[in-house]
Amino acid sequence: MKKKKLLIVGLLLLLVLSPRIYWSLKEAKPLDIAIIDKTVPQKDYREHNGLFQVLKSQKIVRPDGEMYDVGRDYYGYDPYEQVATKPFTNRSVDMIYVTDTYGVFSDDLEKKPDGEQSELIYGSMDLLEWNELMASKSQNTTLIAEFNSFASPTSEEVSKIMQHNLGLKWDGWIGRYFPDLASEEVPAWLIRNFSDQSSKKWSYKGDGIAYVHTSGEIVLLTGKDSKGPIHFALTEKGVKKFPSVSSSPYLYWFDVVEPTEGTEVLASYELNLSKAGYSKLEAANIPFEFPAVLYKESDLTYYFAGDYADFNKKPIVTFQGIHHIYKYLAKDVSSFYWLTYFPMMETILKETYERKSGE
């Protein structure tokens, strides 16, 4: 009887530890990845944390064999020293990933930011750095850029060059879904600007979607206009490209872009609108459905029209296959990360590594 109990305990321990053991035995995969994140005001590194969790899980390492360090292996702003890191300079790389260039503002450095627009301390993509990145991109280099890579405070001139290289056009609209329009998540500047434009006091409750244009115009969809969050859905081409990726609700910032010639749409954002919601978007010339993931196969270029790598949780992802468990338990913003972003990056990293290995 005692031996049987010990056997059961041993089997349970093996079951619990096997993913970790498998991960430890798994061969490390070296990839040289240039990660650009200019929006790091705090020490949580949330704008690129989600990417580093995937790298760790897949055992993607630096060319020197060391694991990628979330607080060190990126180009941008150092929240400890509160200075810019050394900028990227031309070198041969396997992947370029631009997570965010919005920058760091004075209000961001406060312990409790009030959400107001403040003075820019550091940020934007300048032409010299973008040219250095593009010069380092070989035929087999994967380029990924996310929401806010080419928007303000990046100049219009540089923005247009970046859009051309990424195979898309942006007409100036960004947006975000808010679970509760009465919560502190809604920026103070958005509330003030909307009230100034509409001459209405902000007294909204419940969920909603706010669209903001570079001109300052704001279009607000309340619960009467839209039911539930924006939905990320793969296209037919996207399903073939990412068979392990699931559709899911997307709950954060996005931009409204369109593909140029030679660029494929692998996923789209879909909205559940009422007649009033359709009328509001139509009046502002905002499309009812627009791309979430764009892919330019000839250049191995991806654009994620959202803040996908922004993930402030620290799950134990070194366990092999642990994300398959998290995706069934995750709620809210975590569901998109585990159901959609994580497996999508798995596929892209695998393809990048296989191209490098086959050279």
Side-chain angles (χ1 to χ4, degrees), residues 214-277:
T214 50
S215 65
E217 181 183 357
I218 296 174
V219 174
L220 180 66
L221 302 182
T222 65
K224 296 178 181 179
D225 307 312
S226 176
K227 297 180 181 179
I230 291 173
H231 192 72
F232 177 102
L234 292 170
T235 63
E236 186 176 340
K237 291 181 179 178
V239 172
K240 292 179 180 178
K241 182 76 174 175
F242 303 118
S244 61
V245 171
S246 300
S247 297
S248 64
Y250 178 67
L251 309 176
Y252 208 43
W253 289 101
F254 59 88
D255 46 15
V256 182
V257 296
E258 60 177 293
T260 55
E261 187 176 355
T263 303
E264 299 176 337
V265 179
L266 299 183
S268 296
Y269 292 126
E270 299 174 348
L271 290 78
N272 185 5
L273 300 171
S274 66
K275 289 184 179 179

Side-chain angles (χ1 to χ4, degrees), residues 191-221:
I191 294 174
R192 184 182 61 256
N193 291 355
F194 178 81
S195 297
D196 290 344
Q197 290 176 30
S198 63
S199 299
K200 296 179 181 178
K201 183 180 179 181
W202 187 279
S203 57
Y204 300 100
K205 297 180 180 179
D207 67 340
I209 302 170
Y211 288 86
V212 183
H213 194 263
T214 50
S215 65
E217 181 183 357
I218 296 174
V219 174
L220 180 66
L221 302 182

Side-chain angles (χ1 to χ4, degrees), residues 17-43:
L17 296 175
S18 58
R20 173 70 185 192
I21 294 170
Y22 183 80
W23 182 89
S24 300
L25 296 174
K26 190 166 70 169
E27 181 183 3
K29 301 173 182 177
L31 282 178
D32 192 351
I33 307 175
I35 299 158
I36 315 297
D37 184 1
K38 299 194 174 186
T39 312
V40 193
Q42 304 295 333
K43 299 166 187 176

Side-chain angles (χ1 to χ4, degrees), residues 102-138:
Y102 182 62
V104 177
F105 292 75
S106 57
D107 183 56
D108 297 328
L109 302 179
E110 301 294 329
K111 289 185 178 180
K112 291 185 178 180
D114 59 14
E116 288 288 0
Q117 294 172 320
S118 56
E119 181 184 0
L120 176 67
I121 294 174
Y122 166 80
S124 82
M125 176 66 74
D126 62 63
L127 184 58
L128 177 61
E129 187 172 9
W130 182 250
N131 285 341
E132 290 285 311
L133 287 166
M134 294 307 295
S136 70
K137 187 183 183 311
S138 69

Side-chain angles (χ1 to χ4, degrees), residues 289-303:
E289 183 179 318
F290 46 94
V293 176
L294 295 172
Y295 177 52
K296 199 174 179 181
E297 185 176 10
S298 59
D299 295 335
L300 299 178
T301 298
Y302 294 87
Y303 183 71

Side-chain angles (χ1 to χ4, degrees), residues 301-317:
T301 298
Y302 294 87
Y303 183 71
F304 300 161
D307 242 351
Y308 295 177
D310 183 332
F311 190 63
N312 63 353
K313 301 182 184 300
K314 300 281 186 180
I316 305 172
V317 296

